[in-house]
Amino acid sequence: MEKILPPINAISQPYWDGCQQGVLRVQRCITCGHLQLYPRIFCTQCAGEDLDWIDVSGKGTIASYTVVTRGISKAYSAPYVVSLIDLDEGPRMMSSIVDSDGTGLEVGMSVEVAFEPWSETIMMPVFKLL
Amino acid sequence: MTTLRGKVAIVGAADTEVGIVPNIGATDLCVRAALSAMRDAGINKDQIDGLITCDSMAEPIMYHAEAIAEYLQIFPRYCMSVGTGGGTTFSIMHHAASAIATGMADTILIAMADSLRSGLTREQAMLMQSSTGHPQFEQPYGPTVPAYYALIGQAHAAKYGTTAEHLASVAVACRKHAALNPTAQMREPITVEDVITSRMIANPLHLLDCSLVSDGGSAVILTSAERAKDFAQRPVYMLGVGEGHGHEHISQAQSLTTSAAVESGQRAYQMAGLTAADMDFAQLYDCFTPTVIVELEDLGFCAKGEGGPFAASGAIELGGSLPINTHGGMLSHCHPGNPGSMFALTESVFQLRGSVAPERQVKGAEVAMVHAQGGIMSSHTSLILGNEVN
Ligand SMILES: [Zn+2]
């Protein structure tokens, strides 16, 4: 059984291309500078439609986390950590914390992105404790 | 703008058997609930000119309300299915009240049922688990439904010091109420200790912090306040209603610890001209215990951050200042998915009629807050019900 793979589309392609290259990217509004994830066809702050992508540091803090002790499918070996990460640049994203079984984790801890090969074409952004 | 305050009343309410109900499918269960509610209201099906349902997961039907109307052989002039997850039940009430107030229909049947316990295939159960969450930016990380709510519980604990014992006190109160209710699925009393020593599902959520998986159906009949006087039962009036919609995906929530229940509650209180302090009891959506803590705060029953100590104080138990989930809630009465909070609605009707058994009747109950949310604290609807208009 395979893990759930993201159904990439034209709007999100640069994000997943970045992951292949080992960089985490977020969408940027050219008009007002707002950064957003997930990518959209317009800026949620100023409604502008001129958007590009910037590489971010990959550093962030844990906004929340949980240790899943009953996995969603056999492809996910429990226990595993599901977390919400506040990127230093602002946007929040869901991810995993991969070097942890949850022991000692706390909201507010610093983390850094890493990439795991999940398929031929998908490098998945995950996080490790700093 | 005309207000919906006092314009409509619930004149019929009924539940099917709940829990494990294996010998009847979700569609039939929905119809059984509908027939029981009509019987309770003392009307026949030809007096129904509006129908609202929600889809079933066990027996999905593309045009669900049309199918139920056809099954019943009724021919309404207002007919639709609504889908806002667990919030569906009460956003339906909002729509139905508006439809009656604007003359789209006179007497609306709201019927919902599902068979999550007996009717789901493994594939359907898996799909249900993984269909919440953003397909690209959340689902791949394998969050289960409890995991999403655990993220809220953990954030609340970090910000306000909410403990496992605080969360557990919600489950204990619901079970205490279920123990008094012969229709509840789980009636064996539990303690805080039982909850915090039950198996960890997704920290801070233990097994007993999670709601049940059930079969069951429930229905109500809504009509105008003027017409309501001609029905057999004491009318229960809608005094206030309000919605709040914050996000769909938890990673997009503006806050993990404060929800759009703030807005839905304020809108409902404003319409009713009442405050949290006026409520004699409350039915609060309890898919997982942290949900109740957040709702107690956001609906104004205690200060922000004080939901845990408030719950643990015993205030939320029968005999306390604000009994909640007097039927046992989804934690202990039943939780058949989207219809889950219908049972909170019918229970409120029975409480406000004064027709429940004396040992579990909220004494002198006149007004109640009934709240549900759907998604992951995403869509919120608050109802204020009362047994008098003024
Ligand atoms: Zn912008």
Side-chain angles (χ1 to χ4, degrees):
Chain A
M1 186 180 254
E2 245 190 358
K3 285 189 171 181
I4 299 165
L5 296 175
I8 299 173
N9 60 28
I11 300 299
S12 65
Q13 188 71 53
Y15 177 88
W16 297 105
D17 287 349
C19 293
Q20 284 284 9
Q21 296 154 25
V23 291
L24 189 64
R25 290 175 178 161
V26 301
Q27 209 179 23
R28 177 178 62 179
C29 173
I30 291 169
T31 309
C32 78
H34 178 62
L35 302 180
Q36 61 187 19
L37 257 187
Y38 51 89
R40 294 160 160 95
I41 62 167
F42 86 122
C43 167
T44 58
Q45 186 160 286
C46 77
E49 294 183 18
D50 294 326
L51 301 153
D52 63 2
W53 290 82
I54 60 156
D55 297 351
V56 293
S57 64
K59 292 190 169 68
T61 55
I62 298 175
S64 193
Y65 74 94
T66 186
V67 183
V68 180
T69 47
R70 255 184 90 179
I72 196 157
S73 77
K74 286 191 182 116
Y76 293 79
S77 66
Y80 56 92
V81 179
V82 171
S83 180
L84 293 170
I85 309 291
D86 285 338
L87 299 176
D88 283 357
E89 291 80 2
R92 176 175 288 174
M93 63 183 285
M94 183 174 282
S95 190
S96 303
I97 296 174
V98 290
D99 56 356
S100 168
D101 64 358
T103 313
L105 278 189
E106 278 180 40
V107 170
M109 281 181 161
S110 298
V111 290
E112 183 170 32
V113 76
F115 296 90
E116 282 185 349
W118 277 24
S119 79
E120 296 279 303
T121 52
I122 300 289
M123 289 290 278
M124 209 56 199
V126 295
F127 284 78
K128 294 183 171 178
L129 285 176
L130 263 182
Chain B
M1 196 186 73
T2 58
T3 176
L4 288 172
R5 185 188 190 282
K7 292 278 166 58
V8 301
I10 298 168
V11 293
D15 301 337
T16 68
E17 190 187 341
V18 303
I20 304 169
V21 192
N23 296 321
I24 180 166
T27 310
D28 296 321
L29 211 50
C30 183
V31 171
R32 179 179 283 175
L35 295 174
S36 301
M38 286 185 248
R39 203 170 299 127
D40 182 67
I43 61 172
N44 66 52
K45 67 188 175 80
D46 300 326
Q47 289 165 269
I48 302 292
D49 67 350
L51 174 68
I52 313 183
T53 69
C54 76
D55 202 2
S56 152
M57 294 192 206
E59 287 183 358
I61 301 173
M62 187 171 282
Y63 307 117
H64 192 270
E66 305 298 330
I68 297 295
E70 175 194 276
Y71 186 130
L72 286 165
Q73 283 293 290
I74 62 172
F75 309 94
R77 58 194 177 109
Y78 178 76
C79 187
M80 67 171 182
S81 287
V82 175
T84 52
T88 301
T89 38
F90 301 158
S91 59
I92 279 179
M93 289 288 289
H94 197 186
H95 286 282
S98 306
I100 289 167
T102 55
M104 290 174 77
D106 293 329
T107 302
I108 297 181
L109 166 65
I110 296 169
M112 299 170 63
D114 214 340
S115 313
L116 296 194
R117 181 64 177 260
S118 307
L120 284 187
T121 63
R122 265 186 73 83
E123 288 70 32
Q124 284 173 316
M126 271 295 296
L127 184 68
M128 203 181 80
Q129 276 270 323
S130 59
S131 60
T132 325
H134 194 289
Q136 285 192 68
F137 294 93
E138 294 185 348
Q139 284 180 24
Y141 295 106
T144 55
V145 174
Y148 290 110
Y149 284 92
L151 292 170
I152 290 164
Q154 198 75 260
H156 200 276
K159 187 162 185 183
Y160 298 115
T162 307
T163 65
E165 288 79 5
H166 291 151
L167 298 179
S169 66
V170 174
V172 170
C174 287
R175 184 60 63 86
K176 192 171 175 180
H177 300 163
L180 295 169
N181 182 0
T183 68
Q185 185 176 345
M186 299 294 281
R187 302 189 59 208
E188 183 81 9
I190 54 172
T191 64
V192 166
E193 187 68 13
D194 292 332
V195 180
I196 63 176
T197 56
S198 65
R199 188 160 50 85
M200 189 66 92
I201 302 295
N203 69 332
L205 303 182
H206 298 84
L207 180 66
L208 292 176
D209 287 300
C210 306
S211 54
L212 307 172
V213 177
S214 320
D215 308 325
S218 180
V220 298
I221 290 166
L222 204 63
T223 194
S224 67
E226 298 90 77
R227 270 194 190 79
K229 297 187 187 86
D230 303 331
F231 283 75
Q233 300 284 2
R234 179 178 190 175
V236 170
Y237 299 95
M238 186 191 284
L239 301 179
V241 57
E243 298 188 34
H245 300 271
H247 58 269
E248 162 68 0
H249 306 106
I250 191 63
S251 57
Q252 299 288 315
Q254 295 172 70
S255 165
L256 293 174
T257 51
T258 298
S259 73
V262 172
E263 286 91 48
S264 69
Q266 281 170 354
R267 287 166 186 149
Y269 289 132
Q270 190 182 6
M271 185 186 292
L274 296 167
T275 68
D278 297 317
M279 300 300 122
D280 297 314
F281 63 91
Q283 316 290 9
L284 304 179
Y285 198 80
D286 58 340
C287 50
F288 299 93
T289 52
T291 316
V292 173
I293 303 289
V294 172
E295 288 164 343
L296 284 168
E297 298 168 357
D298 291 354
L299 294 169
F301 294 114
C302 62
K304 192 67 207 173
E306 293 296 313
F310 182 80
S313 74
I316 63 172
E317 296 186 2
L318 276 167
S321 60
L322 184 80
I324 68 154
N325 303 354
T326 50
H327 56 316
M330 303 193 303
L331 285 163
S332 284
H333 175 266
C334 79
H335 187 190
N338 287 341
S341 52
M342 279 297 287
F343 304 90
L345 183 61
T346 51
E347 166 73 5
S348 300
V349 171
F350 304 144
Q351 286 281 355
L352 291 167
R353 284 177 183 172
S355 67
V356 303
E359 65 271 22
R360 57 183 217 89
Q361 175 71 51
V362 178
K363 304 230 170 5
E366 292 174 350
V367 284
M369 163 60 76
V370 190
H371 181 88
Q373 63 88 24
I376 313 298
M377 296 300 271
S378 312
S379 72
H380 293 256
T381 307
S382 305
L383 294 179
I384 296 173
L385 302 176
N387 53 19
E388 300 287 346
V389 177
N390 293 304

